[in-house]
Protein backbone atom coordinates (compact mmCIF):
# COMPACT_ATOMS: atom_id res chain seq x y z
CA UNK A 1 0.00 0.00 0.00
CA UNK A 2 1.29 3.47 -0.81
CA UNK A 3 2.40 5.58 2.17
CA UNK A 4 -0.19 8.34 1.60
CA UNK A 5 -2.94 5.79 1.23
CA UNK A 6 -1.84 4.13 4.44
CA UNK A 7 -2.01 7.44 6.30
CA UNK A 8 -5.48 8.16 4.91
CA UNK A 9 -6.73 4.70 5.88
CA UNK A 10 -5.24 5.05 9.32
CA UNK A 11 -6.86 8.45 9.84
CA UNK A 12 -10.21 6.92 8.95
CA UNK A 13 -9.61 4.06 11.35
CA UNK A 14 -8.71 6.50 14.11
CA UNK A 15 -11.91 8.40 13.44
CA UNK A 16 -13.86 5.24 14.18
CA UNK A 17 -11.83 3.58 16.91
CA UNK A 18 -9.26 6.14 17.99
CA UNK A 19 -11.07 7.45 21.04
CA UNK A 20 -11.42 4.05 22.67
CA UNK A 21 -7.76 3.27 21.98
CA UNK A 22 -6.66 6.63 23.33
CA UNK A 23 -8.64 6.11 26.53
CA UNK A 24 -6.86 2.80 26.98
CA UNK A 25 -3.54 4.51 26.32
CA UNK A 26 -4.31 7.21 28.88
CA UNK A 27 -5.04 4.57 31.51
CA UNK A 28 -1.85 2.71 30.66
CA UNK A 29 0.28 5.82 30.61
CA UNK A 30 -1.30 7.76 33.47
CA UNK A 31 -2.21 11.07 31.85
CA UNK A 32 -3.77 12.46 28.72
CA UNK A 33 -0.46 13.76 27.37
CA UNK A 34 1.41 10.56 28.08
CA UNK A 35 -1.47 8.59 26.59
CA UNK A 36 -1.30 10.57 23.35
CA UNK A 37 2.45 9.99 23.19
CA UNK A 38 1.92 6.30 23.75
CA UNK A 39 -0.72 6.07 21.01
CA UNK A 40 1.53 8.07 18.70
CA UNK A 41 4.39 5.65 19.26
CA UNK A 42 2.10 2.71 18.60
CA UNK A 43 0.86 4.33 15.38
CA UNK A 44 4.43 4.77 14.17
CA UNK A 45 5.09 1.12 14.78
CA UNK A 46 1.86 0.22 13.03
CA UNK A 47 2.83 2.26 9.96
CA UNK A 48 6.20 0.56 9.89
CA UNK A 49 4.49 -2.80 9.55
CA UNK A 50 1.40 -1.60 7.70
CA UNK A 51 2.02 -3.66 4.59
CA UNK A 52 2.32 -6.88 6.55
CA UNK A 53 -0.85 -6.40 8.57
CA UNK A 54 -3.93 -8.02 7.14
CA UNK A 55 -7.45 -6.94 8.02
CA UNK A 56 -8.34 -4.74 10.98
CA UNK A 57 -5.25 -3.13 12.50
CA UNK A 58 -6.90 -2.63 15.90
CA UNK A 59 -5.57 -5.84 17.36
CA UNK A 60 -2.01 -5.00 16.39
CA UNK A 61 -2.38 -1.46 17.67
CA UNK A 62 -3.86 -2.59 20.98
CA UNK A 63 -1.10 -5.15 21.55
CA UNK A 64 1.52 -2.54 20.71
CA UNK A 65 0.00 -0.10 23.20
CA UNK A 66 0.26 -2.61 26.02
CA UNK A 67 3.75 -3.75 25.11
CA UNK A 68 5.10 -0.23 24.68
CA UNK A 69 3.54 0.85 27.95
CA UNK A 70 5.11 -2.04 29.82
CA UNK A 71 8.51 -1.67 28.14
CA UNK A 72 8.69 2.09 28.36
CA UNK A 73 7.60 2.30 31.91
CA UNK A 74 9.93 -0.42 33.03
CA UNK A 75 12.83 1.24 31.25
CA UNK A 76 12.19 4.80 32.22
CA UNK A 77 10.59 4.24 35.59
CA UNK A 78 8.06 6.73 34.35
CA UNK A 79 5.46 5.25 36.64
CA UNK A 80 7.34 6.75 39.55
CA UNK A 81 7.14 10.17 37.97
CA UNK A 82 3.48 9.61 37.21
CA UNK A 83 2.93 8.73 40.82
CA UNK A 84 4.26 12.11 41.85
CA UNK A 85 1.98 13.80 39.35
CA UNK A 86 -1.02 11.82 40.45
CA UNK A 87 -0.89 12.40 44.17
CA UNK A 88 -4.27 13.23 45.70
CA UNK A 89 -5.33 16.75 44.89
CA UNK A 90 -3.44 16.95 41.57
CA UNK A 91 -5.64 14.74 39.43
CA UNK A 92 -7.83 15.93 36.63
CA UNK A 93 -10.99 14.28 37.89
CA UNK A 94 -13.19 16.56 39.92
CA UNK A 95 -14.67 15.22 43.15
CA UNK A 96 -18.43 15.58 43.36
CA UNK A 97 -18.67 15.43 47.12
CA UNK A 98 -19.75 11.83 47.56
CA UNK A 99 -17.69 9.06 49.10
CA UNK A 100 -18.32 6.78 46.15
CA UNK A 101 -17.01 9.21 43.59
CA UNK A 102 -13.98 10.00 45.68
CA UNK A 103 -13.21 6.32 45.97
CA UNK A 104 -13.48 5.91 42.20
CA UNK A 105 -11.02 8.71 41.61
CA UNK A 106 -8.74 7.45 44.34
CA UNK A 107 -8.75 3.99 42.80
CA UNK A 108 -7.61 5.30 39.42
CA UNK A 109 -4.92 7.40 41.04
CA UNK A 110 -3.74 4.38 42.94
CA UNK A 111 -3.88 2.25 39.82
CA UNK A 112 -1.06 4.38 38.46
CA UNK A 113 1.11 3.38 41.39
CA UNK A 114 1.00 -0.28 40.44
CA UNK A 115 3.87 -1.87 38.51
CA UNK A 116 3.32 -1.75 34.73
CA UNK A 117 2.44 -5.42 34.36
CA UNK A 118 -0.20 -5.35 37.10
CA UNK A 119 -1.63 -2.10 35.82
CA UNK A 120 -1.82 -3.45 32.27
CA UNK A 121 -3.61 -6.56 33.46
CA UNK A 122 -6.16 -4.54 35.43
CA UNK A 123 -6.76 -2.17 32.52
CA UNK A 124 -7.29 -5.11 30.21
CA UNK A 125 -9.55 -6.96 32.63
CA UNK A 126 -11.59 -4.09 34.07
CA UNK A 127 -11.50 -1.44 31.37
CA UNK A 128 -11.48 -3.60 28.27
CA UNK A 129 -13.56 -6.29 29.97
CA UNK A 130 -11.33 -9.03 28.58
CA UNK A 131 -11.30 -12.53 29.97
CA UNK A 132 -8.19 -13.94 31.58
CA UNK A 133 -7.40 -15.92 28.43
CA UNK A 134 -7.89 -12.90 26.19
CA UNK A 135 -5.73 -10.78 28.50
CA UNK A 136 -3.01 -13.42 28.43
CA UNK A 137 -3.08 -13.45 24.65
CA UNK A 138 -2.99 -9.65 24.48
CA UNK A 139 -0.02 -9.34 26.82
CA UNK A 140 1.79 -12.38 25.51
CA UNK A 141 1.89 -14.22 28.80
CA UNK A 142 0.25 -17.21 30.42
CA UNK A 143 -3.20 -17.27 31.99
CA UNK A 144 -1.53 -18.05 35.30
CA UNK A 145 0.51 -14.87 35.05
CA UNK A 146 -2.65 -12.89 34.38
CA UNK A 147 -4.36 -14.47 37.37
CA UNK A 148 -1.50 -13.76 39.73
CA UNK A 149 -0.98 -10.22 38.41
CA UNK A 150 -4.70 -9.51 38.80
CA UNK A 151 -4.75 -10.86 42.30
CA UNK A 152 -1.66 -8.94 43.37
CA UNK A 153 -2.82 -5.79 41.65
CA UNK A 154 -6.21 -5.79 43.25
CA UNK A 155 -4.76 -6.62 46.64
CA UNK A 156 -2.34 -3.77 46.42
CA UNK A 157 -5.07 -1.49 45.16
CA UNK A 158 -7.24 -2.36 48.12
CA UNK A 159 -4.35 -1.93 50.47
CA UNK A 160 -3.38 1.41 48.98
CA UNK A 161 -6.96 2.64 48.88
CA UNK A 162 -7.36 1.87 52.58
CA UNK A 163 -4.10 3.65 53.29
CA UNK A 164 -5.14 6.56 51.14
CA UNK A 165 -8.56 7.07 52.71
CA UNK A 166 -7.11 6.71 56.19
CA UNK A 167 -4.46 9.34 55.51
CA UNK A 168 -6.53 11.95 53.69
CA UNK A 169 -6.20 15.44 55.16
CA UNK A 170 -9.07 16.27 57.48
CA UNK A 171 -10.37 19.03 55.27
CA UNK A 172 -10.67 16.68 52.31
CA UNK A 173 -12.14 13.74 54.17
CA UNK A 174 -15.49 12.71 52.86
CA UNK A 175 -18.30 13.26 55.34
CA UNK B 1 -12.74 -8.46 45.88
CA UNK B 2 -16.39 -7.70 45.37
CA UNK B 3 -18.19 -7.00 42.12
CA UNK B 4 -19.03 -3.61 43.56
CA UNK B 5 -15.31 -2.86 43.85
CA UNK B 6 -14.85 -3.90 40.22
CA UNK B 7 -17.62 -1.52 39.21
CA UNK B 8 -16.06 1.31 41.17
CA UNK B 9 -12.72 0.71 39.48
CA UNK B 10 -14.31 0.66 36.05
CA UNK B 11 -16.31 3.78 36.80
CA UNK B 12 -13.15 5.49 37.94
CA UNK B 13 -11.45 4.59 34.67
CA UNK B 14 -14.44 5.89 32.77
CA UNK B 15 -14.35 9.21 34.62
CA UNK B 16 -10.58 9.52 34.28
CA UNK B 17 -10.72 9.23 30.50
CA UNK B 18 -14.08 10.76 29.66
CA UNK B 19 -12.69 14.05 28.31
CA UNK B 20 -10.19 12.38 26.02
CA UNK B 21 -10.34 13.06 22.29
CA UNK B 22 -8.08 11.96 19.48
CA UNK B 23 -6.09 14.95 18.14
CA UNK B 24 -6.43 15.53 14.42
CA UNK B 25 -3.64 14.34 12.15
CA UNK B 26 -2.17 11.71 14.47
CA UNK B 27 -1.55 9.31 11.59
CA UNK B 28 0.17 11.98 9.54
CA UNK B 29 2.27 12.97 12.52
CA UNK B 30 3.20 9.34 13.01
CA UNK B 31 4.23 9.11 9.36
CA UNK B 32 6.44 12.18 9.71
CA UNK B 33 8.08 10.86 12.85
CA UNK B 34 8.69 7.59 11.08
CA UNK B 35 10.30 9.38 8.12
CA UNK B 36 12.51 11.41 10.45
CA UNK B 37 13.64 8.25 12.18
CA UNK B 38 14.51 6.68 8.84
CA UNK B 39 16.39 9.78 7.71
CA UNK B 40 18.41 9.79 10.91
CA UNK B 41 19.18 6.12 10.52
CA UNK B 42 20.31 6.60 6.94
CA UNK B 43 22.46 9.58 7.85
CA UNK B 44 24.17 7.57 10.55
CA UNK B 45 24.65 4.68 8.12
CA UNK B 46 26.06 7.01 5.47
CA UNK B 47 28.40 8.65 7.97
CA UNK B 48 29.80 5.28 8.88
CA UNK B 49 30.18 4.30 5.25
CA UNK B 50 31.81 7.60 4.32
CA UNK B 51 34.31 7.15 7.10
CA UNK B 52 35.08 3.67 5.83
CA UNK B 53 35.47 5.03 2.30
CA UNK B 54 37.85 7.74 3.46
CA UNK B 55 39.92 5.13 5.21
CA UNK B 56 39.98 2.94 2.14
CA UNK B 57 41.10 5.81 -0.07
CA UNK B 58 43.80 6.83 2.39
CA UNK B 59 45.08 3.28 2.64
CA UNK B 60 45.09 2.49 -1.05
CA UNK B 61 46.02 5.89 -2.41
CA UNK B 62 44.42 7.38 -5.46
CA UNK B 63 45.74 5.57 -8.47
CA UNK B 64 43.17 6.54 -11.04
CA UNK B 65 39.94 8.36 -11.63
CA UNK B 66 37.22 7.77 -9.06
CA UNK B 67 35.09 4.97 -10.34
CA UNK B 68 31.48 5.92 -9.98
CA UNK B 69 30.40 2.30 -10.34
CA UNK B 70 32.72 1.15 -7.60
CA UNK B 71 31.77 4.01 -5.38
CA UNK B 72 28.13 3.16 -5.89
CA UNK B 73 28.79 -0.34 -4.66
CA UNK B 74 30.55 1.00 -1.62
CA UNK B 75 27.93 3.50 -0.72
CA UNK B 76 24.75 1.89 -1.87
CA UNK B 77 22.42 3.79 0.45
CA UNK B 78 20.94 7.19 -0.32
CA UNK B 79 21.71 9.94 2.08
CA UNK B 80 18.61 11.78 3.14
CA UNK B 81 19.43 14.85 5.16
CA UNK B 82 20.31 17.99 3.26
CA UNK B 83 22.58 19.35 5.97
CA UNK B 84 24.55 16.13 6.01
CA UNK B 85 25.03 16.06 2.23
CA UNK B 86 25.89 19.76 1.97
CA UNK B 87 28.43 19.41 4.75
CA UNK B 88 29.97 16.45 2.97
CA UNK B 89 30.17 18.38 -0.30
CA UNK B 90 31.78 21.33 1.44
CA UNK B 91 34.34 19.03 3.02
CA UNK B 92 35.04 17.31 -0.29
CA UNK B 93 35.70 20.71 -1.86
CA UNK B 94 37.82 22.01 0.99
CA UNK B 95 41.42 22.82 0.03
CA UNK B 96 42.86 19.93 2.06
CA UNK B 97 40.56 17.43 0.39
CA UNK B 98 41.52 18.69 -3.06
CA UNK B 99 45.07 17.39 -2.71
CA UNK B 100 44.15 14.00 -4.08
CA UNK B 101 41.96 15.02 -6.97
CA UNK B 102 42.44 16.86 -10.21
CA UNK B 103 39.26 18.51 -11.36
CA UNK B 104 38.20 18.42 -14.97
CA UNK B 105 35.11 20.28 -16.03
CA UNK B 106 33.13 21.22 -19.07
CA UNK B 107 30.98 24.29 -18.89
CA UNK B 108 28.29 25.10 -21.44
CA UNK B 109 27.58 28.73 -22.30
CA UNK B 110 24.35 30.00 -23.76
CA UNK B 111 24.48 31.73 -27.19
CA UNK B 112 25.65 35.32 -26.93
CA UNK B 113 28.07 34.66 -24.09
CA UNK B 114 31.37 36.46 -24.23
CA UNK B 115 34.40 35.11 -22.39
CA UNK B 116 37.48 37.28 -22.17
CA UNK B 117 40.81 36.73 -20.39
CA UNK B 118 40.94 39.65 -17.99
CA UNK B 119 44.06 38.99 -15.93
CA UNK B 120 46.20 36.18 -14.55
CA UNK B 121 43.74 33.35 -14.16
CA UNK B 122 40.83 35.71 -14.49
CA UNK B 123 38.11 35.22 -17.08
CA UNK B 124 35.27 37.65 -17.36
CA UNK B 125 32.00 36.39 -18.73
CA UNK B 126 29.27 38.63 -20.04
CA UNK B 127 26.14 38.17 -22.09
CA UNK B 128 25.29 40.11 -25.22
CA UNK B 129 22.45 38.39 -27.05
CA UNK B 130 22.60 38.84 -30.81
CA UNK B 131 26.03 40.49 -30.77
CA UNK B 132 28.81 39.06 -32.90
CA UNK B 133 32.16 38.85 -31.10
CA UNK B 134 35.40 36.98 -31.59
CA UNK B 135 35.08 36.08 -27.93
CA UNK B 136 31.71 34.34 -28.28
CA UNK B 137 32.07 31.07 -26.46
CA UNK B 138 30.15 27.82 -26.68
CA UNK B 139 31.88 25.84 -23.97
CA UNK B 140 35.07 25.65 -21.95
CA UNK B 141 37.14 22.73 -20.78
CA UNK B 142 39.09 23.25 -17.57
CA UNK B 143 41.60 21.34 -15.51
CA UNK B 144 42.45 22.38 -11.99
CA UNK B 145 44.80 21.09 -9.35
CA UNK B 146 45.96 22.94 -6.27
CA UNK B 147 46.82 26.47 -7.41
CA UNK B 148 46.99 25.67 -11.11
CA UNK B 149 44.11 26.05 -13.53
CA UNK B 150 43.98 25.63 -17.27
CA UNK B 151 40.96 26.78 -19.22
CA UNK B 152 40.40 26.18 -22.92
CA UNK B 153 37.57 28.08 -24.57
CA UNK B 154 35.80 26.83 -27.68
CA UNK B 155 33.11 28.10 -29.99
CA UNK B 156 29.81 26.26 -30.10
CA UNK B 157 31.12 24.38 -33.15
CA UNK B 158 34.27 23.24 -31.36
CA UNK B 159 36.87 25.70 -32.65
CA UNK B 160 39.45 26.57 -30.04
CA UNK B 161 39.42 30.27 -29.10
CA UNK B 162 42.05 30.50 -26.37
CA UNK B 163 43.77 28.62 -23.59
CA UNK B 164 44.55 30.25 -20.29
CA UNK B 165 46.91 28.47 -17.94
CA UNK B 166 47.37 30.08 -14.56
CA UNK B 167 49.21 29.26 -11.41
CA UNK B 168 49.66 30.86 -8.02
CA UNK B 169 53.31 31.74 -7.47
CA UNK B 170 55.03 33.37 -4.52
CA UNK B 171 54.65 36.77 -6.16
CA UNK B 172 51.00 36.15 -6.93
CA UNK B 173 49.15 34.62 -9.82
CA UNK B 174 50.77 34.30 -13.21
CA UNK B 175 49.31 32.98 -16.41
CA UNK B 176 50.01 32.14 -19.99
CA UNK B 177 47.34 32.86 -22.56
CA UNK B 178 47.40 31.42 -26.04
CA UNK B 179 45.10 33.01 -28.62
CA UNK B 180 44.33 30.66 -31.47
CA UNK B 181 42.43 33.10 -33.62
CA UNK B 182 45.41 35.29 -34.37
CA UNK B 183 48.28 33.00 -33.40
CA UNK B 184 49.55 35.04 -30.46
CA UNK B 185 50.35 34.41 -26.84
CA UNK B 186 51.33 36.39 -23.80
CA UNK B 187 52.10 36.01 -20.15
CA UNK B 188 50.51 37.80 -17.30
CA UNK B 189 51.97 38.31 -13.86
CA UNK B 190 50.58 39.61 -10.61
CA UNK B 191 51.90 43.10 -11.37
CA UNK B 192 49.54 43.31 -14.27
CA UNK B 193 46.63 41.91 -12.34
CA UNK B 194 43.64 44.23 -12.32
CA UNK B 195 42.48 45.27 -8.91
CA UNK B 196 39.82 43.28 -7.18
CA UNK B 197 37.34 46.12 -7.65
CA UNK B 198 37.92 46.06 -11.38
CA UNK B 199 37.44 42.34 -11.54
CA UNK B 200 33.92 42.44 -10.22
CA UNK B 201 32.55 40.36 -7.42
CA UNK B 202 34.73 37.73 -5.85
CA UNK B 203 33.46 34.17 -6.06
CA UNK B 204 32.47 34.36 -2.44
CA UNK B 205 29.95 37.12 -3.12
CA UNK B 206 27.34 35.05 -5.02
CA UNK B 207 27.84 37.53 -7.86
CA UNK B 208 27.64 36.96 -11.61
CA UNK B 209 31.37 36.62 -12.35
CA UNK B 210 33.12 33.30 -12.07
CA UNK B 211 36.70 33.78 -11.06
CA UNK B 212 39.06 31.00 -12.00
CA UNK B 213 42.02 32.76 -10.52
CA UNK B 214 44.12 30.18 -8.71
CA UNK B 215 44.99 30.49 -5.10
CA UNK B 216 43.32 30.33 -1.74
CA UNK B 217 39.70 31.34 -1.71
CA UNK B 218 39.28 31.20 -5.48
CA UNK B 219 38.38 28.69 -8.15
CA UNK B 220 35.50 26.34 -8.63
CA UNK B 221 35.70 24.47 -5.32
CA UNK B 222 35.61 27.74 -3.37
CA UNK B 223 32.88 29.06 -5.62
CA UNK B 224 30.62 26.06 -5.08
CA UNK B 225 31.32 25.94 -1.38
CA UNK B 226 30.29 29.52 -0.98
CA UNK B 227 27.18 29.11 -3.10
CA UNK B 228 26.21 26.29 -0.78
CA UNK B 229 26.72 28.48 2.24
CA UNK B 230 24.77 31.45 0.91
CA UNK B 231 21.71 29.64 -0.45
CA UNK B 232 19.00 27.33 0.83
CA UNK B 233 19.10 23.81 -0.50
CA UNK B 234 17.03 20.66 -0.37
CA UNK B 235 17.68 17.11 -1.45
CA UNK B 236 15.73 16.10 -4.53
CA UNK B 237 16.38 12.39 -4.83
CA UNK B 238 18.75 10.66 -7.22
CA UNK B 239 19.35 11.20 -10.92
CA UNK B 240 21.76 9.59 -13.35
CA UNK B 241 24.36 12.05 -14.57
CA UNK B 242 27.04 10.71 -16.89
CA UNK B 243 26.47 7.21 -15.59
CA UNK B 244 26.52 8.23 -11.94
CA UNK B 245 23.48 7.76 -9.74
CA UNK B 246 24.02 11.24 -8.37
CA UNK B 247 22.43 12.93 -5.38
CA UNK B 248 20.41 15.88 -6.64
CA UNK B 249 20.33 19.06 -4.58
CA UNK B 250 18.16 21.99 -5.56
CA UNK B 251 18.61 25.54 -4.31
CA UNK B 252 16.55 28.69 -4.19
CA UNK B 253 19.59 30.98 -4.32
CA UNK B 254 23.14 30.54 -5.47
CA UNK B 255 23.15 27.27 -7.35
CA UNK B 256 19.96 26.14 -9.07
CA UNK B 257 20.83 22.47 -8.99
CA UNK B 258 23.84 20.50 -7.90
CA UNK B 259 24.42 16.81 -8.47
CA UNK B 260 27.09 15.14 -6.36
CA UNK B 261 28.57 11.69 -6.35
CA UNK B 262 27.17 9.59 -3.50
CA UNK B 263 30.61 8.05 -3.12
CA UNK B 264 32.86 11.11 -2.94
CA UNK B 265 30.37 13.98 -2.54
CA UNK B 266 32.27 15.81 -5.25
CA UNK B 267 30.11 17.64 -7.80
CA UNK B 268 29.32 15.89 -11.04
CA UNK B 269 27.09 18.62 -12.46
CA UNK B 270 26.04 22.08 -11.41
CA UNK B 271 23.50 24.46 -12.92
CA UNK B 272 23.27 28.05 -11.85
CA UNK B 273 21.69 31.20 -13.22
CA UNK B 274 23.49 34.52 -13.29
CA UNK B 275 21.33 35.97 -16.03
CA UNK B 276 18.23 35.11 -17.99
CA UNK B 277 19.18 31.49 -18.52
CA UNK B 278 20.95 28.85 -16.48
CA UNK B 279 24.33 27.44 -17.44
CA UNK B 280 25.54 23.91 -16.90
CA UNK B 281 28.94 22.62 -15.84
CA UNK B 282 29.93 18.97 -15.72
CA UNK B 283 32.74 17.74 -13.50
CA UNK B 284 35.08 14.79 -13.48
CA UNK B 285 37.61 14.18 -10.75
CA UNK B 286 40.86 12.50 -11.68
CA UNK B 287 43.77 11.20 -9.71
CA UNK B 288 46.81 13.50 -9.89
CA UNK B 289 48.94 11.04 -11.82
CA UNK B 290 51.81 12.39 -13.97
CA UNK B 291 49.73 11.79 -17.08
CA UNK B 292 46.77 13.68 -15.66
CA UNK B 293 48.94 16.49 -14.28
CA UNK B 294 50.36 16.96 -17.79
CA UNK B 295 46.88 18.08 -18.83
CA UNK B 296 47.51 21.29 -16.87
CA UNK B 297 50.44 22.24 -19.07
CA UNK B 298 49.92 25.02 -21.62
CA UNK B 299 51.86 24.49 -24.80
CA UNK B 300 52.37 27.25 -27.32
CA UNK B 301 52.06 26.00 -30.89
CA UNK B 302 55.02 26.58 -33.11
CA UNK B 303 54.88 29.82 -35.05
CA UNK B 304 52.72 31.66 -32.52
CA UNK B 305 53.93 35.15 -31.77
CA UNK B 306 54.40 36.48 -28.24
CA UNK B 307 52.73 39.82 -27.63
CA UNK B 308 52.36 42.12 -24.62
CA UNK B 309 49.33 41.36 -22.52
CA UNK B 310 46.32 43.53 -23.22
CA UNK B 311 45.41 46.24 -20.78
CA UNK B 312 42.33 45.33 -18.83
Amino acid sequence: MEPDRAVADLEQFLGERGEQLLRTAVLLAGSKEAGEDLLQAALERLLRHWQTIEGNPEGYLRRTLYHLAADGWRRQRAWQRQFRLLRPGTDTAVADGTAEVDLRDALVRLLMQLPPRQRSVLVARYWEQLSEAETAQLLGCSVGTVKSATSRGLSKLRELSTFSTEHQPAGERTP
Amino acid sequence: MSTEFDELLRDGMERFTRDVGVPRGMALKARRHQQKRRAKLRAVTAAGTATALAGAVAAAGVTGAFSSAGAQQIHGRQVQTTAYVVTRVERALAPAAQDNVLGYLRREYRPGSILVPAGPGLLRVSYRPGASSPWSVGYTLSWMYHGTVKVSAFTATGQRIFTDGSTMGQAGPASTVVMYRNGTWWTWTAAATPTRAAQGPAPSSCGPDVLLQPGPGNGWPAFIRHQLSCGEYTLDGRQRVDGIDAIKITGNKGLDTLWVSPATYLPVRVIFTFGPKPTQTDFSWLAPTPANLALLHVSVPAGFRQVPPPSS
Side-chain angles (χ1 to χ4, degrees):
Chain A
M1 189 175 292
E2 295 174 7
D4 290 344
R5 178 72 187 280
V7 171
D9 288 352
L10 194 52
E11 289 286 6
Q12 185 181 352
F13 165 75
L14 286 175
E16 296 167 0
R17 297 293 301 152
E19 186 176 322
Q20 185 63 22
L21 286 164
L22 181 56
R23 294 177 82 174
T24 301
V26 168
L27 286 170
L28 290 170
S31 71
K32 183 185 172 189
E33 292 74 21
E36 287 180 3
D37 288 347
L38 178 59
L39 180 58
Q40 183 78 43
L43 287 172
E44 287 177 40
R45 194 166 287 195
L46 173 66
L47 277 173
R48 217 179 302 159
H49 301 284
W50 184 263
Q51 293 186 351
T52 62
I53 297 170
E54 294 180 358
N56 193 333
E58 185 169 349
Y60 180 91
L61 201 52
R62 193 176 297 280
R63 269 198 310 280
T64 306
L65 278 179
Y66 278 87
H67 289 166
L68 282 177
D71 291 346
W73 284 44
R74 262 201 298 272
R75 188 170 58 245
Q76 300 170 13
R77 292 195 170 275
W79 64 276
Q80 292 178 341
R81 293 196 293 273
Q82 295 295 339
F83 172 55
R84 288 196 293 273
L85 292 173
L86 292 164
R87 282 178 298 190
T90 61
D91 61 313
T92 53
V94 179
D96 62 3
T98 69
E100 196 171 80
V101 170
D102 276 0
L103 182 55
R104 291 170 192 163
D105 295 342
L107 281 176
V108 174
R109 287 198 301 270
L110 297 170
L111 177 70
M112 304 308 166
Q113 298 181 40
L114 297 181
R117 173 67 77 179
Q118 291 176 13
R119 185 175 56 253
S120 296
V121 168
L122 292 183
V123 170
R125 296 278 285 115
Y126 294 97
W127 169 248
E128 306 240 38
Q129 304 278 298
L130 299 180
S131 68
E132 289 173 340
E134 289 169 331
T135 302
Q137 190 178 6
L138 178 69
L139 298 176
C141 61
S142 67
V143 174
T145 303
V146 171
K147 283 181 179 176
S148 63
T150 305
S151 174
R152 286 176 190 162
L154 288 176
S155 296
K156 196 174 276 185
L157 211 54
R158 186 171 51 186
E159 187 182 313
L160 287 170
S161 65
T162 306
F163 177 85
S164 177
T165 49
E166 284 178 355
H167 290 79
Q168 276 188 341
E172 295 181 16
R173 189 181 293 273
T174 310
Chain B
M1 192 61 61
S2 66
T3 306
E4 188 183 358
F5 191 89
D6 298 352
E7 285 299 318
L8 286 174
L9 179 57
R10 180 169 164 71
D11 278 359
M13 292 175 175
E14 179 75 31
R15 284 167 54 81
F16 188 70
T17 60
R18 67 185 169 191
D19 295 328
V20 162
V22 179
R24 293 172 65 89
M26 277 196 95
L28 189 60
K29 194 175 170 188
R31 167 68 74 197
R32 286 177 180 155
H33 282 195
Q34 184 195 23
Q35 288 170 338
K36 280 184 184 175
R37 277 172 55 91
R38 283 182 178 170
K40 276 185 184 175
L41 190 64
R42 284 173 178 155
V44 169
T45 305
T49 313
T51 304
L53 175 66
V57 170
V62 182
T63 55
F66 280 111
S67 164
S68 59
Q72 185 62 25
Q73 286 173 3
I74 293 171
H75 253 251
R77 306 295 301 175
Q78 180 165 0
V79 181
Q80 292 294 319
T81 61
T82 304
Y84 175 81
V85 173
V86 168
T87 301
R88 286 278 160 185
V89 176
E90 289 173 338
R91 284 185 195 170
L93 292 172
Q98 292 287 302
D99 287 351
N100 291 325
V101 289
L102 184 153
Y104 166 69
L105 62 94
R106 175 189 171 104
R107 184 182 178 192
E108 303 287 343
Y109 290 80
R110 62 183 184 273
S113 296
I114 310 294
L115 190 65
V116 181
L122 176 64
L123 301 178
R124 177 163 293 154
V125 62
S126 58
Y127 179 59
R128 297 173 196 162
S132 176
S133 167
W135 303 101
S136 293
V137 63
Y139 65 93
T140 56
L141 301 179
S142 303
W143 295 261
M144 51 193 179
Y145 181 68
H146 280 196
T148 302
V149 176
K150 187 177 89 170
V151 181
S152 289
F154 298 83
T155 64
T157 56
Q159 287 183 303
R160 194 186 294 264
I161 304 172
F162 67 84
T163 292
D164 182 324
S166 306
T167 190
M168 175 60 78
Q170 288 186 342
S175 67
T176 299
V177 180
V178 178
M179 304 300 301
Y180 289 88
R181 285 190 181 281
N182 55 12
T184 60
W185 67 279
W186 67 82
T187 58
W188 249 327
T189 60
T193 305
T195 63
R196 172 62 71 189
Q199 292 175 10
S204 59
S205 66
C206 291
D209 284 5
V210 176
L211 299 186
L212 301 176
Q213 183 172 339
N218 286 317
W220 275 96
F223 171 76
I224 293 176
R225 287 177 68 209
H226 185 72
Q227 299 304 319
L228 288 174
S229 69
C230 71
E232 292 179 6
Y233 296 87
T234 53
L235 293 189
D236 197 9
R238 297 288 190 98
Q239 199 167 33
R240 288 201 82 77
V241 177
D242 291 338
I244 297 174
D245 187 24
I247 300 170
K248 185 180 180 184
I249 306 166
T250 55
N252 66 349
K253 199 174 86 175
L255 307 176
D256 296 342
T257 315
L258 173 69
W259 290 263
V260 299
S261 163
T264 62
Y265 293 97
L266 288 167
V268 293
R269 175 172 291 172
V270 62
I271 293 178
F272 59 87
T273 306
F274 283 156
K277 288 185 179 178
T279 61
Q280 175 181 310
T281 304
D282 291 335
F283 293 83
S284 297
W285 301 91
L286 313 174
T289 61
N292 288 334
L293 289 172
L295 296 170
L296 290 159
H297 179 68
V298 177
S299 59
V300 179
F304 274 42
R305 174 171 53 93
Q306 185 174 10
V307 297
S311 56
S312 48

